[in-house]
Amino acid sequence: MALVNENYLKLPGSYLFSEIARRVNQFKKDNPAADIIRLGIGDVTQPLSPAVVEAMKNAVEEMGRQETFRGYGPEQGYEFLIEKIIENDFKPLKVELSVDEVFISDGAKSDTANFQELFGINNKLAVSDPVYPVYVDSNVMSGRTGTINTTGQFENIVYLPCIEENGMKPPLPGTKVDMIYLCFPNNPTGMTLSKEELKKWVDYARENRSVILFDAAYEAYIQEEGVPHSIFEIEGAREVAVEFRSFSKTAGFTGTRCAYTIVPKEVKVYDSNGKAYSLNNLWLRRQTTKFNGVSYPVQAAAAAVFSKEGKKQVKQLVKYYMENAGIIRAGLQSAGYKVFGGINAPYIWLKTPNNMKSWDFFDKLMQEANVVGTPGAGFGASGEGYFRLTAFGTRENTERAVERIKNRM
Amino acid sequence: MALVNENYLKLPGSYLFSEIARRVNQFKKDNPAADIIRLGIGDVTQPLSPAVVEAMKNAVEEMGRQETFRGYGPEQGYEFLIEKIIENDFKPLKVELSVDEVFISDGAKSDTANFQELFGINNKLAVSDPVYPVYVDSNVMSGRTGTINTTGQFENIVYLPCIEENGMKPPLPGTKVDMIYLCFPNNPTGMTLSKEELKKWVDYARENRSVILFDAAYEAYIQEEGVPHSIFEIEGAREVAVEFRSFSKTAGFTGTRCAYTIVPKEVKVYDSNGKAYSLNNLWLRRQTTKFNGVSYPVQAAAAAVFSKEGKKQVKQLVKYYMENAGIIRAGLQSAGYKVFGGINAPYIWLKTPNNMKSWDFFDKLMQEANVVGTPGAGFGASGEGYFRLTAFGTRENTERAVERIKNRM
């Protein structure tokens, strides 16, 4: 008799974005004339840049000619793309990487979800609260978290509350943890850490031989000086950190699918005898066994993000969304809301008025302003009483949404 | 202290294709003038078909325009592609599927490797021997197999020998198994099962509440009548089988990346109390949590495989490779080799002369004919004394390789 992976049964029934979709669909059914503006899911709205489109079309044509056709590529990605990533994303930060420390994939969601496979199931993990649900759910599926309690938290996860009182900065864990998920600029709060604040985490990990799983998917949105773009800007991070990056939000690749993960050769995990193993080798083995590389035209498109024209065009995309962020921030503040984020990140995290529950605010915003956002409680217990809006809408919709929030709420 | 997943340490050191690459590189270093022909790795050589290229370019252009841009698609794939798959690949076989039973992915390698996650680690699994290494390795990584013995077999896997004596047809397991990997047309032997033979497996699975993981990546190569293209042609299979398919070999997508997996709603796995769970729901949960869908232009390209022109062009591709298969088969037979496969599959499986060891034959073939193939022993203990050649080379190289085998060996 085929047995189920019983860890799957520990997952809470409804995934955040499915529940949002359900409520929106119901509302649309009841109010067919309502003109709904979606600032909920973090999906981009601006088209791929011309340099990217051109490069991808050329690569597709290459695939149609015998002499330039490409079959299986390297599972870990083409060097032409890896070299451009190192040159453009890391050299300017004075971070040295070798070609075999960069792994190209189809998405940061896949990588952040799959990476935990390399770790034993008895590791203790820490996550920020609120948190991107994929970190938690992928660990639940693997059996690393135990069961869920009545507040929606898993027994073997250390939750690090990020709330107004601590400026949305996760406190170091009180008990020892082995795997630490950090995301900065943060989804959902939109907040960042300074180099000094991030260094505390690197020091903690070095001291405890923990591994930091650092999600930098939003680094391109950093506007202020002094905010680290990569954890590898911090001394010692090469020994204890892995970094996830993506073209999704940087270059509008949410529907095109390309990301990359940095696994320095020094990062180690240990067996029960204390013998060390390189995570880089383990991830290579995982990817060569369970993955067959990213589509060649997609990798060619990603490489064009680093061309002279590509860089200019992509910068414009980021600027466009960050102007949206500024409009939302200013609008909400002038309407009396307390807001976080939106300065170095495309997310605005607002405190609901009068301690309203997140889902109540969701319903109110949808019903009164016909604007859809994301309830903070969906990201964890400490997200209760907060609400996320994204800057990824069109300019027109962003402005209209802000006007409605000011006038109708 | 971060602990390693110790199951990874049970994997044998060197992956088959890495060892081949190592030997070929050494040979090239020692013999820089040698003109090597590769009929080893199952990678295609013919370019994407014009209809596919055209559709993919159009989709890339859509991604470059505001009004047609697409962000995140459904994790399980676009309906426009799923509907074409059902209509073209299954309706003619009288197999009825609903849209939510088809899951689009980036490759059959990913799907066959990831699908085992849905099962508890105490399931017993059976594989053919020889076997595509991904089925075994992904289960080793999850901790389902125990350790490896001196013959290279894992203690908790039931190996089903496919040898000359049984016509390369796996015998039903002697002990009860819960997960059964079958691949037909087979990689590496190139052999098939009849409907009656496959029905025995479906009956076995129904009787034992096992699940059959059926890899049909090569079904497009079936030339003979009476050979099932899908396991769902067999009565009762919807209750016990999942089927993996791919555009890689059908339409030359090895570097473009698109595949699909059929998970009927009736297929069940059980908890320790015997309560049943739908694999379809579990796979949906897995994919929505750990995957973000296939690139839109790639899905558009895959859909073009089913257009009127696309179907014609793709048929020509298959015909081209199957003519190669015929050339290899006939050439080897006329040179006195005993050969299997190559009639309904792009793989030719030959018995080495005088019971030569597979790796010895590999070295001899490389040294004397400068032809690279794949040693049967690399696919499992029962592959010892066999050797795989693929029909995916160019016509010219295929003909030259056969001439050399005839004249130099």
Side-chain angles (χ1 to χ4, degrees):
Chain A
M1 187 172 80
L3 297 170
V4 67
N5 173 354
E6 296 202 10
N7 296 310
Y8 268 66
L9 312 179
K10 299 172 189 162
L11 290 164
S14 151
Y15 183 62
L16 173 59
F17 293 106
S18 318
E19 175 60 19
I20 293 175
R22 195 191 63 75
R23 292 196 190 203
V24 173
N25 288 336
Q26 186 61 47
F27 180 76
K28 276 162 72 174
K29 217 170 132 188
D30 300 343
N31 304 274
D35 170 26
I36 293 174
I37 299 176
R38 290 167 181 274
L39 300 179
I41 295 179
D43 195 5
V44 297
T45 50
Q46 297 304 297
L48 290 183
S49 301
V52 170
V53 169
E54 192 58 26
M56 192 162 178
K57 277 170 61 185
N58 289 341
V60 173
E61 280 183 1
E62 285 178 47
M63 295 294 268
R65 287 192 302 266
Q66 173 86 61
E67 59 281 14
T68 50
F69 174 76
R70 294 183 189 228
Y72 291 123
E75 286 96 340
Q76 60 271 46
Y78 280 109
E79 279 196 26
F80 70 76
L81 175 56
I82 292 174
E83 281 165 0
K84 286 205 166 62
I85 288 169
I86 293 174
E87 185 66 28
N88 291 282
D89 276 2
F90 293 95
K91 253 210 182 125
L93 306 176
K94 299 198 175 28
V95 172
E96 300 280 335
L97 294 174
S98 65
V99 166
D100 52 359
E101 293 177 323
V102 180
F103 295 81
I104 308 298
S105 82
D106 63 310
K109 185 181 179 188
S110 309
D111 284 357
T112 53
N114 290 329
F115 207 87
Q116 49 75 31
E117 284 182 30
L118 309 185
F119 295 83
I121 61 158
N122 292 323
N123 288 288
K124 191 116 189 166
L125 64 125
V127 298
S128 299
D129 174 19
V131 67
Y132 176 50
V134 169
Y135 312 151
V136 172
D137 290 357
S138 57
N139 278 285
V140 174
M141 289 167 162
S142 286
R144 207 172 281 108
T145 62
T147 52
I148 200 166
N149 66 23
T150 49
T151 63
Q153 298 198 322
F154 286 90
E155 55 185 358
N156 294 336
I157 293 183
V158 174
Y159 292 87
L160 310 167
C162 297
I163 48 178
E164 191 182 353
E165 290 68 26
N166 61 22
M168 307 292 162
K169 295 175 198 295
L172 288 174
T175 53
K176 274 202 183 189
V177 297
D178 312 303
M179 298 162 64
I180 302 160
Y181 287 87
L182 294 178
C183 172
F184 290 100
N186 189 257
N187 173 19
T189 69
M191 299 294 275
T192 55
L193 292 188
S194 68
K195 283 188 186 171
E196 293 65 36
E197 288 161 341
L198 190 52
K199 184 158 190 308
K200 281 184 204 160
W201 285 97
V202 171
D203 292 345
Y204 174 92
R206 291 172 82 182
E207 211 165 289
N208 293 285
R209 294 201 276 179
S210 325
V211 173
I212 299 174
L213 301 152
F214 191 76
D215 187 344
Y218 301 95
E219 68 78 27
Y221 289 85
I222 295 171
Q223 310 292 312
E224 295 182 317
E225 296 285 314
V227 178
H229 286 251
S230 165
I231 194 167
F232 301 118
E233 292 182 64
I234 311 301
E235 195 200 326
R238 280 185 60 92
E239 296 165 29
V240 290
V242 166
E243 182 166 299
F244 303 98
R245 289 196 170 206
S246 174
F247 292 95
S248 283
K249 307 302 162 68
T250 314
F253 270 51
T254 53
T256 304
R257 312 302 314 137
C258 200
Y260 48 106
T261 290
I262 313 298
V263 191
K265 289 188 197 142
E266 292 92 321
V267 195
K268 296 286 194 298
V269 283
Y270 302 87
D271 68 15
S272 44
N273 299 318
K275 190 178 165 196
Y277 297 85
S278 158
L279 270 183
N280 182 289
N281 285 343
L282 293 163
W283 186 239
L284 178 65
R285 183 68 206 233
R286 194 269 169 206
Q287 293 297 80
T288 51
T289 302
K290 294 187 166 189
F291 182 60
N292 236 336
V294 173
S295 183
Y296 167 64
V298 172
Q299 292 191 65
V305 168
F306 300 111
S307 67
K308 206 178 144 197
E309 283 307 302
K311 279 198 257 193
K312 255 192 250 169
Q313 292 163 1
V314 160
K315 210 174 233 175
Q316 282 306 310
L317 280 181
V318 171
K319 187 165 173 264
Y320 178 90
Y321 294 129
M322 285 312 293
E323 284 168 4
N324 284 351
I327 290 165
I328 298 172
R329 238 187 102 88
L332 290 172
Q333 280 178 326
S334 80
Y337 290 90
K338 184 150 217 167
V339 296
F340 301 88
I343 292 174
N344 295 303
Y347 293 119
I348 290 89
W349 187 242
L350 66 93
K351 212 162 170 354
T352 59
N354 307 318
N355 293 316
M356 194 185 288
K357 295 269 184 190
S358 297
W359 279 106
D360 292 344
F361 187 78
F362 174 90
D363 289 334
K364 185 174 153 74
L365 189 67
M366 179 164 65
Q367 280 153 17
E368 295 181 9
N370 301 164
V371 171
V372 173
T374 314
F379 297 101
S382 296
E384 182 59 274
Y386 293 89
F387 198 81
R388 191 187 78 172
L389 291 173
T390 92
F392 290 124
T394 61
R395 177 63 42 83
E396 191 199 348
N397 278 344
T398 303
E399 286 172 343
R400 287 166 63 222
V402 170
E403 280 314 301
R404 290 188 194 171
I405 293 170
K406 280 193 196 166
N407 299 329
R408 300 197 201 166
M409 294 285 286
Chain B
M1 185 171 79
L3 297 171
V4 67
N5 173 355
E6 296 202 10
N7 297 309
Y8 269 65
L9 313 179
K10 299 172 189 163
L11 288 165
S14 151
Y15 184 62
L16 172 60
F17 293 107
S18 319
E19 176 59 19
I20 293 176
R22 196 190 64 72
R23 293 196 190 203
V24 172
N25 287 337
Q26 186 61 47
F27 180 76
K28 276 163 72 174
K29 216 170 135 188
D30 299 342
N31 304 273
D35 170 27
I36 293 173
I37 299 175
R38 291 165 180 275
L39 299 179
I41 294 178
D43 195 5
V44 297
T45 50
Q46 297 304 298
L48 291 183
S49 301
V52 170
V53 169
E54 193 57 27
M56 192 163 177
K57 278 170 61 185
N58 289 341
V60 173
E61 279 183 2
E62 284 177 48
M63 295 295 268
R65 287 192 303 266
Q66 174 86 61
E67 61 280 15
T68 49
F69 174 76
R70 293 184 190 227
Y72 291 121
E75 286 96 341
Q76 60 271 46
Y78 280 108
E79 279 197 23
F80 69 76
L81 175 56
I82 293 174
E83 280 165 0
K84 285 204 168 61
I85 288 169
I86 293 173
E87 186 65 27
N88 291 280
D89 276 3
F90 293 95
K91 253 209 183 127
L93 306 176
K94 300 199 174 25
V95 172
E96 300 281 335
L97 294 174
S98 66
V99 165
D100 52 0
E101 293 178 321
V102 180
F103 296 81
I104 309 296
S105 83
D106 63 311
K109 185 181 178 188
S110 309
D111 284 357
T112 53
N114 291 329
F115 206 87
Q116 49 75 33
E117 286 181 30
L118 308 184
F119 295 83
I121 61 158
N122 292 323
N123 287 288
K124 190 116 188 165
L125 65 126
V127 298
S128 297
D129 174 18
V131 67
Y132 176 50
V134 169
Y135 311 151
V136 172
D137 290 358
S138 57
N139 278 286
V140 174
M141 290 167 162
S142 286
R144 209 171 280 110
T145 62
T147 51
I148 200 167
N149 66 22
T150 49
T151 63
Q153 298 198 323
F154 286 90
E155 55 185 357
N156 295 336
I157 295 182
V158 173
Y159 293 86
L160 311 166
C162 297
I163 47 178
E164 193 183 352
E165 290 68 25
N166 60 24
M168 307 292 163
K169 294 172 197 298
L172 287 175
T175 54
K176 273 203 182 189
V177 297
D178 312 304
M179 298 162 65
I180 301 160
Y181 288 86
L182 295 178
C183 173
F184 290 101
N186 188 256
N187 172 19
T189 70
M191 300 293 275
T192 55
L193 292 189
S194 68
K195 284 188 186 172
E196 293 66 37
E197 288 161 342
L198 190 52
K199 181 155 194 309
K200 281 183 205 161
W201 284 97
V202 171
D203 291 344
Y204 175 92
R206 290 172 82 182
E207 211 164 289
N208 293 284
R209 294 202 274 180
S210 325
V211 173
I212 298 173
L213 302 152
F214 191 77
D215 187 344
Y218 301 96
E219 68 78 26
Y221 290 85
I222 295 171
Q223 309 293 311
E224 294 181 318
E225 296 285 312
V227 178
H229 286 250
S230 165
I231 195 167
F232 301 118
E233 292 181 64
I234 311 299
E235 195 201 324
R238 280 186 60 93
E239 294 165 29
V240 290
V242 167
E243 182 167 298
F244 304 99
R245 290 197 170 203
S246 173
F247 292 95
S248 283
K249 308 303 162 69
T250 313
F253 270 52
T254 53
T256 304
R257 314 300 314 139
C258 198
Y260 49 105
T261 290
I262 312 299
V263 191
K265 289 187 197 142
E266 293 92 321
V267 195
K268 296 287 195 298
V269 284
Y270 302 86
D271 68 15
S272 45
N273 299 318
K275 189 178 165 196
Y277 297 86
S278 158
L279 271 182
N280 183 288
N281 285 344
L282 293 162
W283 185 239
L284 179 66
R285 183 67 206 233
R286 195 270 168 205
Q287 292 298 80
T288 50
T289 301
K290 294 188 166 188
F291 183 61
N292 236 335
V294 173
S295 182
Y296 167 64
V298 172
Q299 292 191 66
V305 168
F306 300 110
S307 67
K308 206 178 145 199
E309 284 307 304
K311 279 197 257 193
K312 257 192 249 168
Q313 292 163 0
V314 159
K315 211 175 232 175
Q316 282 305 311
L317 281 180
V318 171
K319 188 164 171 265
Y320 179 90
Y321 294 129
M322 285 311 292
E323 283 168 4
N324 285 350
I327 290 165
I328 297 172
R329 239 187 102 87
L332 290 172
Q333 281 177 324
S334 81
Y337 289 90
K338 184 148 215 169
V339 296
F340 301 89
I343 293 175
N344 294 304
Y347 293 120
I348 290 89
W349 187 243
L350 64 93
K351 211 164 170 356
T352 58
N354 309 315
N355 294 315
M356 193 185 286
K357 295 269 184 190
S358 297
W359 279 106
D360 292 344
F361 187 79
F362 174 90
D363 290 334
K364 186 174 152 72
L365 189 67
M366 180 165 64
Q367 280 153 17
E368 295 180 9
N370 299 165
V371 172
V372 174
T374 314
F379 297 101
S382 295
E384 182 60 275
Y386 293 89
F387 198 81
R388 191 188 78 173
L389 291 173
T390 92
F392 290 125
T394 61
R395 178 62 44 81
E396 191 199 349
N397 278 344
T398 304
E399 286 173 343
R400 288 167 62 223
V402 169
E403 282 312 303
R404 290 189 195 171
I405 294 171
K406 279 192 197 168
N407 300 328
R408 300 196 202 166
M409 294 285 287

